Amino acid sequence: MNTSDSNLPSNFIRYIIDDDMKSQKFQGRVHTRFPPEPNGFLHIGHAKSICLNFGIAREYQGKCNLRFDDTNPAKEDEKYVQSIKEDVEWLGFDWGEAPFFASGYFTALYDCARQLISKGKAYVDDLSPDQIREYRGTLKEPGKESPFRNRSVEENLDLFQRMKTGEFEEGAKVLRAKIDMGSGNLNMRDPVLYRILKAHHHRTGDEWCIYPMYDFAHCLSDSIEGVTHSICTLEFEDHRPLYDWILNTLEVYHPQQIEFARLNLTYTVLSKRKLLQLVEDGHVDGWDDPRMPTLSGMRRRGFTSNSIRDFCERIGVAKSNSIIDLALLEHCLREELNKTALRVMAVLRPIKVILTNYPEGQTEELESENNPEDPDAGSRKLTFSRELYIERDDFMEEPPKKFFRLAPGKEVRLKHAYIIKCEEVIKDEQDNIVELRCTYDPDTKSGQVEKSRKVKATLHWVSASHAIDAEVRLYGNLFTSPNPGDEKECPELKDALNPDSLEILKDCKVEPGLADANGDQPFQFLRLGYFCLDPVALAQGKRIFNRTVTLKDEWAKLQKKAKG
RNA sequence: UGGGGCGUCGACAAGCGGUAAGUCACAUGAUUUUGGUUCAUGCAUGCGGAGGUUCGAAUCCUCCCGCCCCAGCCA
């Protein structure tokens, strides 16, 4: 892992760093940071940033800090700190001895603010929030200066000190930078640097009642930590002049801010606000609902951190707004799971099959490979018997042309077992198919020399008396719209919800070995998809399988096409 | 003329003046005891548009068009 030569696709950020290395701008150092606000759960979009920041540090043998941007006690909480640390760790990154906190710099930041005041570059403003907005002007018209803008340094120092001691109410005063109310960049129109917030902070408790704003805290935190490249998303591009202004005015070490486009994914939303809405409105079961694009949700769903890292590498890093096809994420997932998942047989919607020519009471043990992609995965014994279950979808009474599976008079192979032929369809009074009577061909046992006829399909099955019961949950996209995050396409998020994003199947039959499964092993339910044991249910002693992702399905594609 | 960005295949994305990488998706065929995997083949005479510079332009210049972000005491 000591590479700077990697065969990863390059990107504009790497070029900037390469140039900086050449020019010795930062004495050959590379130091990045991942700066989440602990006010929510991390999602796949954060993973892009994590992989970028930690990945670059690793590649250039530099460092990457995990820094919590905890400057707004009203919204932040220790529990988020915990989950963020878990997620970063799970993704496979190491932030060194300890994480950093912007709140750890509150004293230093306060001193910086005083210096700014002393330089005549900041002032205490008594304007109300509404007045500040009014005075700011609009996009096209310049703002006007606050009547408090020209207070003396002494008065400002005194007032700021009294803000700190709690003398004033929330909203009564703020500290503002004195820049340019006529700037075309709204961020430069005397931005607020400090506000009064009489809130309990999860780390500093009640020590402070003034808190720095993002723009003030972030650049200085970067500076204090010796960050070289401060990588953030595009919406902060407008803030860069302010980032630079603060650092220049204070004449302190000056990292370089670089902006890239945040991740968007088809059929999902990645804004904290919208994700929160899904949770609060009860459309999902919580932040770790397996349908959520949160790292905790994806982990529970069965995503591997490998596949997420692979995905983040493949999508690249650029400055154009884009939306990545979910299919790419799924591809990365399948690619890994194909190599690692143990193949097992599970029948989700069972229909009984009786082998009329198989002796009652007889069973036999069939050798079954665990993973054709991995010989080291070995094999297991499966019990075959007279009464089996197969998948309801694998039988059709009146099969269309390209249906290769079981139908009256048709033959299929049972995986690892024999070729069977459907002789009779048994129905109840309501005309529902309840059972299939089939015969098996003893000469076609799996593994025998290839003398038997070819058959067009191979089905998965379980032995009726040996299989165990299981609940299986199938997940689909949360949204039917490819771009639910787009306010124009989807003004009402809930209108884009997919009513079929969760299907719970309670009467599934799975092979008996699955009784011993633990939560760490991914499975491929043969011909169906990749599954994992739901860790939340498992902790409660229940066995529920989550479908991580389907297998690619040529037949499903054909059917879809046929329907139009 | 408010400021800041961005426009290369259906989706991403390399390319940085020498004649359009790669990935996903899609299509076709082969192999297959998973309609999985794997393999092979195809998929931009074209780089938002129009001019210009040049022997040569996606790359440089000019103008135009389109899209995104900004008016929190959020980050």
Side-chain angles (χ1 to χ4, degrees), chain A residues 103-362:
Chain A
S103 56
Y105 310 133
F106 280 173
T107 302
L109 262 21
Y110 178 74
D111 288 342
C112 287
R114 288 175 53 86
Q115 280 179 50
L116 230 37
I117 293 171
S118 298
K119 287 172 186 264
K121 297 294 188 183
Y123 62 97
V124 172
D125 195 353
D126 297 359
L127 253 30
S128 71
D130 282 347
Q131 287 172 313
I132 287 184
R133 192 183 320 119
E134 262 179 61
Y135 275 67
R136 188 156 30 227
T138 68
L139 292 178
K140 292 193 175 171
E141 297 153 24
K144 26 176 223 225
E145 298 184 350
S146 163
F148 303 98
R149 197 173 196 256
N150 293 310
R151 295 216 250 227
S152 69
V153 168
E154 291 67 34
E155 187 183 3
N156 280 320
L157 247 18
D158 174 60
L159 255 16
F160 186 50
Q161 193 271 127
R162 287 158 64 191
M163 278 170 65
K164 176 177 181 272
T165 54
E167 187 171 322
F168 310 113
E169 291 310 302
E170 279 191 21
K173 286 180 167 44
V174 289
L175 182 73
R176 290 231 254 170
K178 192 190 282 190
I179 309 180
D180 176 9
M181 291 306 291
S183 171
N185 181 347
L186 270 8
N187 295 121
M188 299 299 270
R189 319 239 266 226
D190 290 11
V192 172
L193 266 20
Y194 265 91
R195 77 286 212 188
I196 298 168
L197 243 36
K198 300 198 169 170
H200 186 83
H201 188 281
H202 66 102
R203 288 188 70 84
T204 60
D206 299 315
E207 190 183 342
W208 295 87
C209 62
I210 54 171
Y211 290 91
M213 297 288 289
Y214 164 85
D215 286 304
F216 192 67
H218 204 93
C219 56
L220 287 167
S221 301
D222 284 345
S223 178
I224 291 167
E225 291 175 15
V227 164
T228 56
H229 303 272
S230 179
I231 301 169
C232 60
T233 45
L234 251 26
E235 66 270 26
F236 292 102
E237 219 151 12
D238 287 344
H239 294 241
R240 193 174 61 229
L242 179 52
Y243 185 104
D244 291 337
W245 183 92
I246 292 170
L247 264 15
N248 287 148
T249 306
L250 253 10
E251 299 176 275
V252 293
Y253 168 75
H254 196 150
Q256 177 180 2
Q257 176 178 308
I258 304 170
E259 311 83 12
F260 73 100
R262 63 174 346 130
L263 172 68
N264 293 293
L265 253 192
T266 56
Y267 299 101
T268 110
V269 296
L270 291 179
S271 95
K272 259 183 201 171
R273 204 196 91 234
K274 286 175 178 155
L275 258 14
L276 178 67
Q277 190 188 334
L278 291 176
V279 174
E280 288 190 335
D281 296 353
H283 299 305
V284 294
D285 209 9
W287 286 96
D288 68 344
D289 185 300
R291 292 167 292 179
M292 289 284 273
T294 51
L295 294 178
S296 48
M298 293 172 77
R299 185 162 58 231
R300 182 173 171 193
R301 167 98 166 237
F303 274 79
T304 61
S305 54
N306 264 335
S307 64
I308 292 175
R309 267 183 273 122
D310 181 33
F311 171 74
C312 290
E313 265 165 30
R314 293 202 204 201
I315 57 178
V317 180
K319 296 194 70 159
S320 52
N321 284 313
S322 58
I323 179 159
I324 309 277
D325 198 332
L326 222 208
L328 179 58
L329 214 210
E330 293 185 339
H331 170 81
C332 296
L333 220 206
R334 290 190 186 106
E335 189 171 73
E336 190 191 2
L337 261 15
N338 177 49
K339 291 183 205 132
T340 57
L342 259 27
R343 270 59 169 175
V344 294
M345 294 204 277
V347 176
L348 268 32
R349 298 172 179 89
I351 179 169
K352 187 164 262 185
V353 168
I354 311 255
L355 267 18
T356 52
N357 62 338
Y358 196 88
E360 279 190 61
Q362 181 178 313

Side-chain angles (χ1 to χ4, degrees), chain A residues 446-459:
Chain A
S446 186
Q448 278 184 356
V449 261
E450 203 50 67
K451 61 178 177 185
S452 55
R453 60 228 111 99
K454 290 278 178 192
V455 107
K456 279 221 143 175
T458 300
L459 308 187

Side-chain angles (χ1 to χ4, degrees), chain A residues 43-104:
Chain A
H43 55 65
I44 181 78
H46 294 109
K48 177 180 181 182
S49 174
I50 293 168
C51 292
L52 215 208
N53 279 293
F54 282 94
I56 278 176
R58 185 180 284 175
E59 189 182 343
Y60 290 88
Q61 291 149 63
K63 286 186 193 161
C64 179
N65 293 354
L66 172 61
R67 179 173 73 231
F68 291 94
D69 222 334
D70 54 349
T71 56
N72 185 358
K75 292 188 176 173
E76 295 150 7
D77 194 282
E78 177 63 27
K79 75 176 177 203
Y80 297 117
V81 171
Q82 209 41 52
S83 87
I84 288 169
K85 287 203 286 195
E86 269 174 44
D87 287 343
V88 173
E89 201 161 22
W90 176 70
L91 267 184
F93 296 105
D94 178 7
W95 56 79
E97 327 77 64
F100 295 82
F101 292 85
S103 56

